[in-house]
Amino acid sequence: MRRPLIAGNWKMNTTADEAINLVNDMLTELIGFTGVDCVLCPPFISLQSLSKLLKGTSIGLGAQNMYYKEKGAFTGEVSALMLKDLCRFVILGHSERRQYFCETDAAVNQKIKAALEAGLVPIFCVGESFEQNETGRTDEILSMQIKSGLSGIGATDQIIIAYEPIWAIGTGKAATGAQAGLAIGFIRETLCSIWEKTRANSIRILYGGSVTGTNITEFVKQPQIDGALVGGASIKAAEFISIVRQTALVKS
Ligand code: PEP
């Protein structure tokens, strides 16, 4: 049995004070949903304060990126070594990082390796563009991203995969549950082709892309989908709570 998980990617939103207020608005409700793991991924600057606020609770904390080197002359970067005392998770390979910061599959692979070595749990994002989807290349792209991203990495259950079709991120045009279920089924088959089957089957795979309190059940009803990576709706306390609540209901 894979435990359902809802992760919130706050992206470049919330000042230090706003982040604390947002967690305070959600915390009591979130810790009540025992059947679902919750992970909040605020901007770097809030990791320290939120790690204190969430200490001793069941709510996980994650970063949104990191660099693969441990330390050194890499101005503006943050390493796994720096993150590991503050949080347990790190989003890697998000399409916004690939698109705006030119992250390649090879760079994502280096980051995943460094995160795992430091004991962090990567939330590894993959997904096809609108054009790739329209031209029937979804499986090819997903296979390439999964195989490159996990190249040289032995089977581990310390990783979470998020299927995030680029055309659905921040657009309000979510995939359908069936579309996401198919793509995630394909990702699992790909994992089974590179890793031992039981290990591949234990990996949690999330859907991400315009998830809201209105459409979450469509996704989590699919047996292949273990939860969601939520962007925009994760910085609205009531909406995020509703997403977690409905996931708990469907998956219990
Ligand atoms: C994301 O940024 O990972 C995401 C899924 O965003 P949104 O929910 O806003 O589409």
Side-chain angles (χ1 to χ4, degrees), residues 9 11 91 94 96 125 164 168-172 207-211 229-233:
N9 173 15
K11 312 196 192 206
I91 298 173
H94 191 282
E96 287 155 13
C125 302
E164 298 210 309
I169 296 181
T171 59
Y207 166 74
S210 297
V211 169
L229 178 55
V230 183

Side-chain angles (χ1 to χ4, degrees), residues 153-244:
I153 296 170
T156 172
D157 41 22
Q158 290 302 303
I159 192 163
I160 292 157
I161 295 180
Y163 167 59
E164 298 210 309
I166 299 169
W167 46 270
I169 296 181
T171 59
K173 288 186 190 142
T176 63
Q179 266 176 321
L182 264 182
I184 287 175
F186 176 78
I187 290 172
R188 196 168 295 290
E189 273 171 35
T190 309
L191 284 179
C192 287
S193 75
I194 57 171
W195 287 348
E196 185 253 322
K197 226 175 163 187
T198 23
R199 199 55 78 92
N201 279 325
S202 71
I203 300 290
R204 290 185 283 188
I205 310 181
L206 315 177
Y207 166 74
S210 297
V211 169
T212 64
T214 311
N215 63 21
I216 182 67
T217 53
E218 195 185 331
F219 299 107
V220 290
K221 267 185 189 161
Q222 301 278 331
Q224 286 287 0
I225 304 183
D226 301 313
L229 178 55
V230 183
S234 70
I235 51 169
K236 298 175 192 155
E239 185 90 10
F240 192 67
I241 291 165
S242 160
I243 290 169
V244 179

Side-chain angles (χ1 to χ4, degrees), residues 42-233:
F44 285 133
I45 60 139
S46 290
L47 286 174
Q48 186 142 34
S49 60
L50 296 194
S51 74
K52 286 185 187 145
L53 198 55
L54 295 173
K55 202 174 176 169
T57 74
S58 53
I59 311 301
L61 190 61
Q64 298 173 17
N65 179 36
M66 53 163 255
Y67 193 49
Y68 76 97
K69 294 275 193 183
E70 207 166 79
K71 59 183 172 181
F74 303 103
T75 303
E77 292 296 321
V78 169
S79 75
L81 188 69
M82 296 167 181
L83 292 178
K84 72 175 191 180
D85 294 332
L86 298 175
C87 62
R88 179 145 183 264
F89 300 85
V90 58
I91 298 173
L92 294 175
H94 191 282
S95 65
E96 287 155 13
R97 303 259 357 139
R98 294 176 190 260
Q99 186 182 347
Y100 303 128
F101 302 97
C102 306
E103 272 188 22
T104 60
D105 286 334
V108 175
N109 175 247
Q110 284 175 309
K111 290 182 179 200
I112 294 175
K113 281 181 179 155
L116 288 169
E117 271 162 32
L120 292 169
V121 177
I123 302 177
F124 168 32
C125 302
V126 294
E128 81 288 358
S129 68
F130 177 74
E131 196 192 343
Q132 289 161 343
N133 183 280
E134 285 286 291
T135 51
R137 295 180 61 210
T138 300
D139 288 0
E140 175 203 335
I141 299 299
L142 293 178
S143 167
M144 199 170 64
Q145 289 177 342
I146 293 283
K147 286 179 179 163
S148 315
L150 299 180
S151 166
I153 296 170
T156 172
D157 41 22
Q158 290 302 303
I159 192 163
I160 292 157
I161 295 180
Y163 167 59
E164 298 210 309
I166 299 169
W167 46 270
I169 296 181
T171 59
K173 288 186 190 142
T176 63
Q179 266 176 321
L182 264 182
I184 287 175
F186 176 78
I187 290 172
R188 196 168 295 290
E189 273 171 35
T190 309
L191 284 179
C192 287
S193 75
I194 57 171
W195 287 348
E196 185 253 322
K197 226 175 163 187
T198 23
R199 199 55 78 92
N201 279 325
S202 71
I203 300 290
R204 290 185 283 188
I205 310 181
L206 315 177
Y207 166 74
S210 297
V211 169
T212 64
T214 311
N215 63 21
I216 182 67
T217 53
E218 195 185 331
F219 299 107
V220 290
K221 267 185 189 161
Q222 301 278 331
Q224 286 287 0
I225 304 183
D226 301 313
L229 178 55
V230 183

